[in-house]
Each structure stands twice: as structure tokens, then as C-alpha cells.
Amino acid sequence: MQGCKAKCRVAALVIISIWIGLAALYDLVTPISNGCIMTYMYPQYIPIASPANVSSSKYGLYLYHEGWKKIDFNEHLKKLNGVPVLFIPGNGGSYKQVRSLAAESNRAYQGGPLERTFYQEASLTLKEGGEELDTSGFGLPNQYISMLDWFAVDLEGEHSAMDGRILEDHTEYVVYAIHRILDQYKDSRDARAREGASVSGSLPKSVILVGHSMGGFVARAVIVHPHLRKLAVETVLTLSSPHQSPPVALQPSLGQYYARVNQEWRKGYEVQTSRTGRYVSDPPLSRIVVVSISGGIHDYQVRTKLESLDGIVPPSHGFLISSTAMKNVWLSMEHQVILWCNQLVVQVSHTLLSLMDPETGQPFSDTQKRLAVFTKMLHSATPHSFNWIRQSLSPQQATPDPIKDGKEVTGSQWHTVSACPSNVRWTNDGLERDLYIQTTTVTVLAMDGRRRWLDIEKLGSNGRSHFILVTNLAPCSGIRLHLWPEKGQSATDLPGSKGVLEVTQKMMHIPSGPAPRQIEPGSQTEQAPPSAVFLLAPGDMRGFRFLTISVASSPAVSGRPPPAASMAVGQFFSPKDGELEFSPKLLLLSAHSPKDMTLNEDHPLALNMSFTISSGLLPVKLSLKTTGCGIKQSALPTEEAGDVEQSRLCKLRCFPPVALAWDATSGLHIFPNLYSEIIVVDSSPALWSSTRGSEKTSVLLLVDPHCSYKVSVAVSVTAAAKRFLLLYYSEIAGFSIAVVFFALMKQAHAWELDSPIPSMLSAVESNLRFPLPFLFLVITPLFIASFISFLTSQPFPPFVSFFLVSIVCYLFANGSIILLILASQLVFYVAAVIHVFFKTRWQLWEGNFCFVFLHWFLNLCSSFLSFKVVRVLRVQLLQFTALVAVMLVCFAHPALGLFILLLSDALSCQLALSCFLTASFRSHAQSKELFDSRNEGYDRAEKFVLRHSDGSNQHSMLDESCSSTPDSARSFGETQLETFHHRHGLLMLHFLATLMFVPSLVAWIQRMGMSQSFPWFVDSALCIGVIFHGICDSKPEFNFFLIPFLGIPGLEVKLSFAYLLAGYYSYLSALALAPYRAFYAMAAIGFISLAFRIIQRQYRKKGDAYFRTQKHSHRH
């Protein structure tokens, strides 16, 4: 690497890479608060015995029992009559992790369904898969029919995320466990019948599967297993489970197993037809419902993108929901916390209990009903897309309810809107108690028992056609909203042909922060945070003239006025008025200097903040500081306003801001009580599989229009670094292999041109030079990826963000490889210097008595090396290394064979570098003494040369490894340096290959002592190809071979071109988030090299020249 510019370029890249890594590490180790409540239980685990003809010594099956009293296990098994649920733990998980779900399910069954609220519920009329799910008349149960019997498999805490063989073993055992559970119910029923006990109900025919982490994928793999009984599983619920690809996609067999299972699922939802296209049967998986729950942004181990069911399960049979958007949860949680977070565990327990058919006591057989239960129990009514605020219902959907005899008829209502229950009734207020609002903003500060009239035609003019309201009052019991065609004192005043429509239950529940504490009864408190949001679009209000907001009255407390802890703020607005767009330039500059804005009083209640770079990649710290609240215009006495600080008064008047952020992957994220918060969504922008719109984030900020704020926006640098590594570590891993391939291409090309082989550092640096070869190596694969998307009719990723982020990932991979090169070079140079130091000092130390034992040991080694077997092994060292490595790959573990290859590369590098330093030292010493000898005479110079020659002969054994017959010391040193550069490049490639199998090796070591099996064929075959590459191309002269292309003279395929294709393939594999596919390129080059060596030897035997000779003969 020559030149100051090149060194500065490399130094800058290394510094930036180190800085990103340290910033990400800092943010990763920073403690976070998830807001979860701990779940408590009294667990007991009842082992389920296996039949005598089944060997299950490796794994186990348990039934959970909640209670602190000791029970008879056999008697308890006889009483099994619930619905079986099987829990499958994940990577390194324990069967005891079922305790939180099982304990809360038991409490939920005893306590009954959750208390019903009158907020809008998630719509059950969903257009999924092109069909409309008709669930009219379907409702959740008033009491639970059957309890859940929770089983769990003990998988010995094995790391299934690291090895495909373990994953397959887990799948086979879970198939057995499902059959054993169903048989246990039959055995229990038969035992009760033999004892004369009453037997009622039907036996369960299916088992509900609940999987955590990799257990969720095992649950799906079980369903497509050929040995599973028909209809044995119909419902699958997964918690933080990767479905698209493994979280650590490094082992080829693991990636292929994932691909095979997912392909079976895609086929399973296709209609079975004959060769002529005639209908044969329904899809095999038509009765399967899968729901995936992700942990959100705090789950660092499995990203939401991997938990998506897109392309695997059609929307008519399942969906993904983030815990941040789940009803009654609204929290993001870590990978393990999702198992015990009480808010989520309670909601999941009630959801599973609601799946039961009252007639059979077993889960609904109808797929649509089961999906409807999951939708209604898990989804909130808050839309998971920002488009809802711009959409308006059609006029046909806004049909008013007729009023007859003063009673509301609720038969013909909106799709998802129903009137409040009949037991929640208020007396109509007189006109003297009504308030007529003349401004576009309406405020409620207390439960005053009044009705507020808003003229839609008047207040909704000038483009303000939307109405939004936030409140902490409960719908129906605290606040009610109606649409009136004309003003009247009561509904009975209107003609029968006209009607009043109640829209109260269009209020959507949102999580509210902690309520302010009241110092004493009746005292003034801070404004309560909003707990609901209500939106009317122009289509909703079409045909109506007035909107009324009725607030219930609150009794006095201790004879004093009610506390002002109730609030409701509504406003007619135009969505365009509150639009704030943050450009990429502004966001990048905000990382250094925050962007400040001022919101004056009477600003829009709803602000649409659009970030052109997704907050999933560049998290934004959003801060709001109250600067004013209209104290002069307030109803507070002047003396009170003067005595109390302005900040305290503003807290009494302004409700805490709320932010609703939407993400294309995980949906809704809500940030209550937002005064200073990092807005981050769990999106995965700028990937090859990303769709249009994923590169942006929309945030709806709800702020009190009576108050003024100073808004500060700044990109969080540490959070951005963490998100970058979490989102793109698979790409970076694949890009790192591509960088090494491109560097090897540079070295092979230099050898083909009869130029000195550059070092790995120089090769990597030269590939970063702009515009060429940087654009050729980096931009070309991106265009190839876009062309592949076009050919396969896949949606194009966002062009600009896809290219820019991919280039940044590639540069970071270059920085990581440069660090690895520098670290390895430092180790080799230290080892070589120590080696040379001892060799040069050996002549001075050999007469010392302390080295007599060392002489004896060296003589012993010489005698050992003189054995014929040892001499043969030394001559055929590469072949012996290959044999040992291949045997370990085939019969032990692929990583062990790669370790042997890596050790061979390291020893060759150290030996070549030691010889280079020795030759350099001798050349320098001889030049110096010969120069001095010119002043002392020719005789002394001759003696000096003879003395050095004798010394060399005396130490022939130590220098045997460096022996050669070069024309000069300089040419020999250059030869050894080129050998070091060449083997160092191979070492980098093989080191990355070995690293990719290290997780699998860790899992293999954990299983030692249990029943072992041979490695998968695909892993062994690919690693054998890598070994052949290391052996066949171990010397620089082996690097040069030419394969005639199509027999055309001059058209030849060189090894440098093969490395280029391998780098491109690794690059595309990284874009596809499948870095394990780079093994295919490594193995392909290895097998091609082996084939060429065989062909080359055959041609040499015939005396033909199949390949062109190289000009580096003077160096070797």
C-alpha cells in the first residue's frame, strides 16, 4: 500500500468502523426499562412416561400443574379433560419457561373473561386473501368453557438456532410428543371409565402449539413433517420466532432446512390439482392458523422482519403483530422477557381460552372463527397504517340509526360502530345546560354534565373537514358522541325519517402514561394523559349537521368541587395543516446540532411528522418543552396566575403529548407522556426485500392546541449505530466474504500479469479506489439484484436508500476485514521476529552449558524426522493435511476440519514470513560488513563471507524450512514475501469460513456424550470443497491456470475471474440475508481447482502443455 492518500483512506475507514462498533456496543449495554410486570406462580411439573417400545432418554415431556399443594401425579393424569397446549422452548430454552403462560391461563380460567370495555374493537370484516371474512354475529364468550392443559417438551437446553441437525431432531421429537399427548387423553379417559367415573365430552383431536424463539419454527416444521397425524395440529402461536430465515444464517444446512420447510408451507396453501388442472382437494394446510407475536424494538436477538409471515402464510390464515401494538400490552420487550411479561402473558392466556367452541369444548374447527378470535383479542382498533387519517368512509357506510319512541334502534349501524349498552343511560340535559362551541377547538376540563354542540357545516369549512378528539374519559359511562342531522333538544323532537347516530364506540383505546397524583381530595392536579383517540373523516359526517359531545356529571367529593383530572380536547382540522417533513439532509445535520421548532398556541392538535429516513435506521430523539399555555387568557384568577410558576400552571392546563408512529413491518408504536423520547420503530429499511414506503416513518403527534411548545429533533447517534449493526449484520457478514474474494482476485490478477503479489491490505485498499474499481465491484451487484427483482416480478426496493445503505455496509465490511488483516499481520510479525531472534542468537548460545539439553532434544527430533514414515509425511504434507481435515469434516464436525486447514495456513504464513525476515536480516548484515570491509581490505571481507558460509552450514537443520536455491538473498526474500501474501489471503478466507461454523461447533460440543450422528452431507461436501481450495491453491504458482472457453483461442477463464464471480455471488447472498450461500462459491472454486490439477497432471504425463507457463520461475 503506497502513498499518503491510500493510508489516510484506510485509516479513516478503520476509525469509522471502530467508532460505529463502540457506539453500538455502548447503546446495547445501556439498561432499558421495559415496563413489564413480573408473573408469579407455584409450578409443578408432572413427567409423562413414554411407552416401553419408544426410546426417549434424550428428551422429555412434562405436564404443568399450578399449585403449592403436593399432588399424586398418576391421579392427576387420570383427570385430564381440558384442551391440550404444547409449549416448545427455543434456543437454549427450558421446559420450565412454560410456567408463566400456564399459571396465568389457570387464573384466567378461574376468574373468567376480561372486563368488557366500550372502545372500538378491531374490525372482524377483513379482506384477507381476496375473500371477505364474514363473522357477523360472532362474539367473545361470557365465560370460558374449557381449561387449558399445558404440556412442555424438555429439549435439554440445546442450541437449535446454531445447528440444522439439532433443529431436525427437535422437530421429530415434538411430532412424537404431540402423538403421546393425544394418546394420554385416551388413556386417561379409559382409566376413568374402568374406575366407573363419569365420562363426558369428546377427546381432543388436535393440540395447540405455542413456540418461543426457535420453538416457533419447530412448530411449523412439525406441521409439514410426513409422520404427523392428520389434523393433529390446527393452531400455532409463536413468540419472538424467526420464520423467514435463521437469526444466525451461517451454517448451510441450517439455511437449507429453513428454505425447505418454508417451501413446503408455500405449497401447503395451494389448491391441489391434477396434471390437467382439475380440482383434486383443498390445500393441505387450509385448516392451519398461525399467529406470530414479536417483541418489538427491544428484542435484539430476533428482528421483527424475520418474524414476519409474508410469503409463507397467507393473510387469510395468519398474521404478525408486535407487542407494541397488542391490546392491553403496548410494550416492547427483550427476547426472554416476552415469556414472563404479565401484560402480554395475560392477554395471550385469555386469547387461547376464547378459542373454544361452546358446543364441543374444543377449539373452533372453522379457520375464520379462530382467526377472528386472534384478531379481536390481540389487535387494537387503532389502525396499523398512517393512511387511516386520510381515508373517509363512503356515504353508504354512514347510515344513521332511526329513532323510534325515544329509543335508539341499533339494528342498522356502521360496520364497526354500535350504540352504548342500554344500561348506560343519561338523562337529556336542558338547552340551558348546553354549550354551543363557536371555535374549531373544544375543551373539556371536568365532568360537568353538559352537552356541547358543534356545527359541522360552520366549523368544518375552509378545508377543516376532519375532526379529532383525545380524552381520558371512558366511552359511554364518561363521554358520548352523536351526529345530528339537525339541532334538537332530544332525539324525540326529530321527525321519524331522520335519525341520530351515536359514534361513541368509534373511540380507539391508546395506552396512557401514569395518572398524576392528587395531593388532597378536590385539589387541582396536572392534566391527565389521554387514553383514547376519536377520529371522524368527511365521509363519516356526510349527511349530518351537528356533532355533540356529552360529558357525564361527577358527584362532589367531600362537599368540594370535583377534581379537574378529566380532560377532552377536540378540533376540526385539515391533515395538510399539521404536516412537517424532515429531509435526509436535515436529519443528518441534526446528529450534530438538534433542529428546533416552535409551535405557537392554536396550532393543530394532530401534527403529521414525516421522516424521510426511517426511524428504524436513524432513531430520532423528540423533545417537547412547554413554553406557554395562554395564562393571560385562562380562567384562573390573576393573583393565582401571578403566584404560581408558569410551568406548573401549564401542567394544569396542557395534557401530556402522545406520539403514534407507524412502521411497514411491525405496525403501530405508541409513545405516551412524550416530553423527551427516542422515536424508534422496528422497521428494516433498505433491504433487497424491502418495499416502497419502508424507508420513511410517519409519526402522528397529538399535542394540546392551547399551549405552545419548543420542539427539538435530533438523531441519536448511539441508537443509530446499534440499529445499523442489528439490522444489517447478515449483510455485513456476507460482504466480508465478498471483500476477501475481491482481494484474492487482485492477487491472482497480479500473478497472471507477472507482477509482484500485493499484500491483502494493499489489495483491499486498491479495490476501494474511486471510481474504479470501486464502482465496478460495488455498484454492479446492486444493478444485478435490481434486474433479478425485475425478472422474478418482485417489488423493487427503494432505489436510493437500498444503494446507499448497501454501500455503507460494504464499506463497514472493508473496515472490519482491514482490522482483521492488521491484527493477524501483527501476530505473524511478532512470531516471526521472535523466531528470527532465536535463530540469529543460536550461534552465540550454542556453547553455553544451559543449552546442552536443548542440543540433545534437537538431535532427538532430527533422529525422529529421519524415519521413513515421517519423511514421507513431510514430503506429502499437503496431502496428509487434506486427508485429516476431510476425515474430521465427514465423521466429526466440519469446523474441526476447517481448523486443520486454518492451522496449515497459519504455519505456512509464519514460516514464509520468518524466512523473509531472515533473508532480509542477512542481506542487510552482509551489505553493511562488506561496505566496512572496503576500508579494511579484501582479505577480511573474504574471511567474513567464509565465516557466514560456515555458520550457515552448521545450522542447516534450523534453516531447512527456509532452504532454497535463489540467485540472491533479495530474490529469495521477495519469493517468501509473496508466498506470505498469498497464504495470508487464503488464511483470511478460511478464517471466515471457520467462524461461520463456530456456532454449530458450540452446539455440537454441548451434545457430546449424547447420541451423535454424522454431519449433514451438504455441510461436509461444501467444507471438503473449501479444503480442496486451500490445498490445490496453496502455492502462488498453482494460482495460475487457464481454462479454454468454448475452444476459442484467446478466450480463457482465469482464476482471477473465478474469484470475481465468487465475490459477486457472495455479495448477492449478503443482499438476500443468506451469507451461508457464500460457501457454495468457496466449494465451487475448490472443486474446480481439484479438477484442473487432475487434468494438468494427466496432460503432463502425456507430455502436452495444457496451460501457459508462468514467468515467476526465477523466484521459485
Side-chain angles (χ1 to χ4, degrees), residues 55-66:
S55 175
S56 61
S57 59
K58 189 175 181 181
Y59 302 127
L61 178 64
Y62 292 86
L63 170 66
Y64 181 90
H65 173 71
E66 174 68 14

Side-chain angles (χ1 to χ4, degrees), residues 436-500:
Y436 298 92
I437 307 302
Q438 303 299 322
T439 61
T440 57
T441 303
V442 57
T443 305
V444 177
L445 296 179
M447 299 182 68
D448 52 10
R450 296 194 175 191
R451 180 169 56 189
R452 290 155 175 84
W453 289 82
L454 292 87
D455 190 332
I456 298 174
E457 183 178 334
K458 177 181 178 181
L459 302 179
S461 59
N462 298 326
R464 298 183 176 183
S465 56
H466 291 69
F467 179 80
I468 190 170
L469 179 137
V470 293
T471 181
N472 72 327
L473 299 175
C476 295
S477 61
I479 189 171
R480 301 181 72 169
L481 296 97
H482 295 80
L483 289 172
W484 297 66
E486 60 184 67
K487 185 162 55 177
Q489 196 170 29
S490 65
T492 56
D493 296 342
L494 300 178
S497 61
K498 299 182 178 181
V500 178

Side-chain angles (χ1 to χ4, degrees), residues 122-333:
S123 174
L124 297 180
T125 306
L126 304 173
K127 289 190 177 181
E128 307 280 10
E131 297 181 0
E132 188 171 346
L133 301 182
D134 184 12
T135 55
S136 58
F138 174 79
L140 297 176
N142 295 322
Q143 63 179 7
Y144 295 134
I145 306 300
S146 303
M147 69 179 299
L148 302 178
D149 294 329
W150 282 86
F151 296 82
V153 288
D154 180 13
L155 301 177
E156 296 293 337
E158 293 180 340
H159 293 87
S160 54
M162 300 179 180
D163 189 84
R165 175 68 70 183
I166 296 177
L167 201 60
E168 188 180 41
D169 291 346
H170 288 182
T171 300
E172 293 179 354
Y173 182 77
V174 172
V175 171
Y176 158 75
I178 292 172
H179 296 166
R180 182 70 187 90
I181 290 171
L182 295 176
D183 294 341
Q184 181 63 51
Y185 277 86
K186 185 177 184 301
D187 296 343
S188 300
R189 183 189 181 99
D190 294 343
R192 293 197 304 268
R194 287 194 298 267
E195 295 177 357
S198 60
V199 178
S200 60
S202 59
L203 290 174
K205 298 179 180 179
S206 65
V207 178
I208 299 174
L209 298 185
V210 177
H212 171 246
S213 187
M214 295 301 294
F217 177 79
V218 170
R220 287 201 305 109
V222 163
I223 293 178
V224 295
H225 196 280
H227 296 160
L228 182 69
R229 298 175 189 172
K230 188 177 182 180
L231 303 180
V233 177
E234 295 183 339
T235 304
V236 177
L237 177 67
T238 66
L239 306 173
S240 293
S241 298
H243 294 292
Q244 296 291 335
S245 64
V248 184
L250 300 179
Q251 186 191 30
S253 61
L254 180 61
Q256 287 196 351
Y257 186 67
Y258 251 85
R260 186 169 72 249
V261 170
N262 287 340
Q263 183 62 26
E264 290 293 329
W265 271 78
R266 296 184 185 98
K267 293 180 179 179
Y269 284 106
E270 297 176 356
V271 176
Q272 302 298 301
T273 58
S274 63
R275 293 183 178 179
T276 59
R278 296 181 58 185
Y279 171 82
V280 176
S281 63
D282 289 336
L285 303 182
S286 59
R287 297 173 64 89
I288 307 297
V289 171
V290 184
V291 174
S292 176
I293 301 177
S294 70
I297 56 176
H298 291 161
D299 190 347
Y300 301 151
Q301 298 184 36
V302 182
R303 305 181 306 279
T304 301
K305 182 73 173 179
L306 298 181
E307 302 173 50
S308 172
L309 299 173
D310 293 343
I312 302 174
V313 179
S316 58
H317 288 76
F319 57 83
L320 163 71
I321 184 171
S322 173
S323 59
T324 58
M326 277 184 62
K327 184 190 298 184
N328 301 329
V329 181
W330 316 107
L331 298 171
S332 178
M333 53 201 69

Side-chain angles (χ1 to χ4, degrees), residues 402-416:
I403 304 297
K404 296 182 180 179
D405 301 328
K407 297 181 180 180
E408 298 174 349
V409 180
T410 60
S412 57
Q413 303 165 13
W414 274 346
H415 247 328
T416 57

Side-chain angles (χ1 to χ4, degrees), residues 606-641:
L607 299 176
N608 174 18
M609 307 179 72
S610 177
F611 299 95
T612 51
I613 300 180
S614 172
S615 297
L617 179 58
L618 290 184
V620 173
K621 184 175 183 180
L622 184 61
S623 303
L624 283 86
K625 181 180 180 181
T626 308
T627 57
C629 50
I631 296 178
K632 296 181 180 179
Q633 290 80 22
S634 67
L636 296 173
T638 306
E639 59 274 10
E640 184 177 351

